[in-house]
Amino acid sequence: MKLKILVTAGDGIGPEVTNEAVAILKDIASQGGHDFVFTEKRIGGVAIVQDGTPLPKDTLDAALAADAVLLGAVGGNEFNSLPPDKRPEAGLLAIRAALGGFANLRPAFAFKVLAVNSPLRPEIVDGADVLFVRELLGGLYFGKPREWNKAKGEAWNTMRYTREEVARVARIAFGLAAKRRKRLTSVDKANVLEVSQLWRATVDEVAKEFPGVMVEHQYVDAMAMHLMNRPCDFDVVLTENLFGDILSDESAVITGSLGMLPSATIGGKVNLYEPVHGSAPDIAGKGLANPLGAILTGALVLRHSGGLEAEATAIESSVRKVLEQGFRTPDLARGNTQGITVLSTKEMGAKVRETVKQHLVNA
């Protein structure tokens, strides 16, 4: 398997966690005889400082020429005074739009050793396995008109969707649900928003194409509560852009840390992969960052861009095994730490790397 992977590590803890993911991907390529070609480019704050723009042209060109883009994180407090279209996050939105990926897959899971890290009761989260499918190119984040009129002291954004935009992401969500537990929950605010009424009607139309999948609708405010009260009841959760951003971040409570959550953006010219967490500038360079979200994101690269299911599963199984052996990063070591060994970012990456190698040898 030949795979061209563009690495845009970004800002803050981005380079630290991305390095651990890339090291494991390189091991898998070497061990399995695959040809993975890695190219590194800048995005976000580091690109603003060195190139004057959050998304340099050579980064975008390299992304469009790649088979997959692996991104770390973008952002930094020093850029907060810049206009929105000049900030690091503008580079992230721009590369998403250019690559055309409209379906953002965000898995959140918990098993017994993770359940004890959650602020929720372990019996509530143990066994939770939720896959969020978030529409990524529409809604408030991209809708126009949008403006902040400082002179008038007002601002506005536009939540806008077309039927086809909803239908295409719904089909991906239903297709994934059909391969899992055959349950789909669509989230909206149809009691208030016309956009959500379109969303709900379109989801019901697409549901007819997947008669084997049971579908339900939830208002976003109710879903925020249900996700904390009964996360094990949900399989695939389909959302528009803003609601998906909020709910999938909330799901970090299930795993006990935002650092555990990977994501993949599919459906466009080139798939884009990134852990859900941000750049966390307060802990950057201290060896405190959790690399598991980035490592699990590497598994999604193998699955969705490489078609390497066995290798993707090897990474996911190895992460679980390392956690079951009692190894943690600081964010996962809260509460009762009896029998727990706290590792740095590099140490955790090395532990998973070693376990992946053993897994593939024994497979």
Side-chain angles (χ1 to χ4, degrees):
M1 164 61 64
K2 183 171 184 178
L3 203 59
K4 294 184 294 182
I5 303 173
L6 173 66
V7 179
T8 53
D11 308 318
I13 64 171
E16 298 172 66
V17 298
T18 303
N19 285 345
E20 303 309 318
V22 169
I24 291 173
L25 291 176
K26 287 182 177 179
D27 283 347
I28 287 175
S30 176
Q31 206 163 341
H34 304 296
D35 183 12
F36 293 175
V37 178
F38 294 89
T39 304
E40 296 184 8
K41 295 291 181 179
R42 292 186 289 270
I43 194 173
V46 65
I48 292 174
V49 172
Q50 298 192 41
D51 305 286
T53 174
L55 181 60
K57 183 179 182 302
D58 68 328
T59 299
L60 182 55
D61 289 344
L64 290 169
D67 297 312
V69 177
L70 177 60
L71 187 145
V74 298
N77 296 331
E78 65 269 36
F79 305 106
N80 289 344
S81 61
L82 295 177
D85 62 340
K86 304 296 183 183
R87 293 180 186 176
E89 294 78 7
L92 177 58
L93 293 178
I95 198 170
R96 285 175 178 172
L99 297 181
F102 57 83
N104 183 223
L105 314 183
R106 293 186 168 193
F109 59 90
F111 43 91
K112 192 170 293 293
V113 297
L114 274 182
V116 299
N117 294 304
S118 173
L120 302 175
R121 295 198 309 273
E123 63 269 23
I124 289 178
V125 299
D126 186 11
D129 181 7
V130 185
L131 176 59
F132 288 89
V133 180
R134 168 192 173 194
E135 200 290 324
L136 205 63
L137 293 184
L140 283 172
Y141 288 14
F142 288 94
K144 295 181 180 180
R146 59 187 296 160
E147 185 177 340
W148 178 14
N149 191 319
K150 294 183 180 180
K152 291 185 177 181
E154 61 180 354
W156 55 90
N157 293 88
T158 301
M159 180 181 281
R160 184 189 300 271
Y161 274 107
T162 66
R163 179 190 176 281
E164 181 50 40
E165 286 175 326
V166 179
R168 66 183 184 178
V169 72
R171 288 190 179 97
I172 285 182
F174 274 102
L176 291 167
K179 297 175 182 177
R180 288 168 51 97
R181 301 194 304 277
K182 296 178 172 54
R183 295 188 59 185
L184 183 140
T185 302
S186 179
V187 178
D188 59 42
K189 193 62 177 169
N191 57 336
V192 176
L193 302 174
E194 287 81 1
V195 169
S196 284
Q197 292 164 14
L198 168 68
W199 181 279
R200 181 172 294 206
T202 305
V203 169
D204 282 339
E205 288 178 18
V206 175
K208 298 174 184 176
E209 303 173 18
F210 298 87
V213 176
M214 183 176 69
V215 61
E216 67 169 342
H217 299 278
Q218 291 283 352
Y219 295 140
V220 62
D221 43 355
M223 185 63 188
M225 177 183 66
H226 296 324
L227 191 59
M228 297 296 94
N229 287 338
R230 49 185 184 92
C232 292
D233 288 350
F234 300 101
D235 181 14
V236 173
V237 177
L238 171 64
T239 76
E240 64 86 52
N241 207 339
L242 176 63
F243 298 162
D245 193 0
I246 295 169
L247 289 176
S248 61
D249 279 7
E250 183 191 17
S251 72
V253 174
I254 297 171
T255 66
S257 172
L258 198 60
M260 287 297 302
L261 303 182
S263 82
T265 300
I266 66 174
K269 305 179 188 75
V270 180
N271 293 341
L272 173 67
Y273 302 87
E274 54 183 312
V276 172
H277 63 70
S279 61
D282 56 321
I283 63 170
K286 298 179 181 179
L288 300 176
N290 184 347
L292 296 181
I295 290 170
L296 290 168
T297 297
L300 297 181
V301 172
L302 298 179
R303 175 172 292 123
H304 294 285
S305 288
L308 299 172
E309 180 61 34
E311 289 83 350
T313 300
I315 292 177
E316 293 163 346
S317 298
S318 297
V319 167
R320 178 167 183 154
K321 184 174 182 179
V322 165
L323 291 169
E324 288 175 339
Q325 290 172 337
F327 297 102
R328 302 285 189 275
T329 43
D331 58 313
L332 295 173
R334 296 186 296 270
N336 183 5
T337 57
Q338 184 176 358
I340 296 301
T341 303
V342 180
L343 303 179
S344 69
T345 305
K346 287 186 176 181
E347 289 170 338
M348 178 59 86
K351 183 63 65 175
V352 177
R353 186 179 180 185
E354 173 189 338
T355 309
V356 171
K357 288 181 179 179
Q358 294 173 348
H359 188 286
L360 291 175
V361 167
N362 296 329

